[in-house]
Amino acid sequence: MVTTAPPFASRRPTRRTGAGGWQSGGVSRTPQGQRASLDKQPHEVAAMFDGVAARYDLTNTVLSFGQDRFWRRATRAALGLRPGERVLDVGAGTGVSTEELAHSGAYAVGADLSLGMLHAGKRSRPHVPLLAGDALRLPFADASFDAVTISFALRNVSDTDAALRELARVTRPGGRLVVCEFSTPVNPAFRTVYLSYLMRSLPAVARAVSSNPDAYVYLAESIRAWPDQRALAARVGAAGWGRVGWRNLTGGVVALHRATRD
Ligand SMILES: C[S@@+](CC[C@H](N)C(=O)[O-])C[C@H]1O[C@@H](n2cnc3c(N)ncnc32)[C@H](O)[C@@H]1O
């Protein structure tokens, strides 16, 4: 369940929780090094997602106990989209995240590296505009969008910092970014239970539902290796984004990082 008063953080030494639970404070500007499990080459990542595309939406909902729907709604709300605005959803996959954005009345377009995911999306959501595109070289001119977002995909991009810079390039000055990504649960006891689920139960459940269970071993490992809320906020800020803050969902299982184009 989405927490109603979660922590949000920014780059000042004191942690503060503001309206809507967005936190700021205590963010170091020192970027963390990427872990080996996050160093996937683009063709390997695309092939892996091609392999899960057929049952991606179902597997997602099963493995997240239906929470994915709440996370997507919270992402749309955090973007503050208005009718007529243009929003780009990078790493859109089957378009499940793009479709949610369109409920705001904004024009939402999705881009993804995996043709398998895009084809699955075209079949299940023919009304959602989806196109092939690499987060590191987006096929759009500078300042094309009012807002950009990336859900559960930044962790899979081979160069996180370059992707954040590329997202900034296609966003107009004053435009908004929301990164929706798995993160670090804040409660230590819950964190222990969650990590055990990730490393033991999730791959077992994936074997029962997914068309490519090995991909879910990668999922568990990549989540464990991913920077925590504070570290990711520092990287967003270092990539040309201002007013960086975050909000935890489901106790920090997922975090939304929000920022504004300088
Ligand atoms: C876990 S899925 C997320 C899909 C969707 N955004 C969602 O919320 O369910 C991650 C997606 O990121 C895509 N991806 C990974 N690296 C990418 C890159 N460099 N450029 C564009 N998409 C990428 C994958 O192909 C995959 O479809």
Side-chain angles (χ1 to χ4, degrees):
M1 176 129 186
V2 177
T3 54
T4 50
F8 230 83
S10 93
R11 293 186 221 123
R12 292 181 185 82
T14 307
R15 179 176 293 202
R16 297 171 301 143
T17 301
W22 292 87
Q23 285 186 42
S24 65
V27 176
S28 160
R29 274 196 171 268
T30 309
Q32 286 193 345
Q34 286 198 348
R35 309 291 180 89
S37 60
L38 297 178
D39 282 346
K40 294 280 178 185
Q41 291 304 303
H43 66 279
E44 293 172 336
V45 171
M48 183 176 71
F49 281 100
D50 288 348
V52 300
R55 307 186 74 180
Y56 175 80
D57 291 350
L58 171 70
T59 309
N60 239 2
T61 299
V62 170
L63 294 181
S64 70
F65 304 103
Q67 293 290 291
D68 59 323
R69 296 185 181 131
F70 291 103
W71 299 335
R72 295 185 201 294
R73 275 183 224 146
T75 300
R76 169 165 60 83
L79 280 161
L81 296 167
R82 291 180 288 274
E85 284 194 316
R86 284 177 296 188
V87 55
L88 174 65
D89 182 24
V90 176
T94 59
V96 60
S97 44
T98 321
E99 184 174 48
E100 177 62 41
L101 301 175
H103 291 149
S104 64
Y107 175 72
V109 59
D112 201 280
L113 205 58
S114 159
L115 295 183
M117 292 288 270
L118 292 169
H119 284 309
K122 279 287 167 203
R123 276 193 299 274
S124 57
R125 299 181 181 83
H127 51 284
V128 174
L130 294 174
L131 52 87
D134 185 345
L136 300 175
R137 274 174 307 205
L138 291 167
F140 298 103
D142 296 358
S144 297
F145 293 92
D146 300 293
V148 292
T149 184
I150 180 164
S151 292
F152 307 110
L154 188 58
R155 184 175 28 84
N156 301 302
V157 177
S158 56
D159 188 335
T160 306
D161 305 304
L164 289 167
R165 287 193 298 272
E166 182 67 350
L167 286 165
R169 182 187 67 77
V170 301
T171 306
R172 67 163 168 81
R176 293 96 65 200
L177 164 75
V178 172
V179 176
C180 173
E181 191 52 88
F182 291 110
S183 199
T184 304
V186 285
N187 178 290
F190 176 53
R191 190 161 61 233
T192 303
V193 172
Y194 171 69
L195 285 176
S196 166
Y197 166 71
L198 263 190
M199 302 314 289
R200 294 180 194 175
S201 312
L202 184 139
V205 178
R207 272 194 288 280
V209 262
S210 172
S211 45
N212 180 7
D214 285 350
Y216 289 87
V217 175
Y218 162 79
L219 170 71
E221 289 174 350
S222 66
I223 291 173
R224 207 172 54 161
W226 186 242
D228 67 12
Q229 289 85 332
R230 191 174 300 266
L232 182 59
R235 290 173 75 157
V236 172
W241 294 93
R243 297 169 59 194
V244 184
W246 74 82
R247 178 187 177 207
N248 290 314
L249 303 178
T250 319
V253 167
V254 165
L256 301 183
H257 282 74
R258 182 174 72 174
T260 303
R261 175 83 163 86
D262 282 338

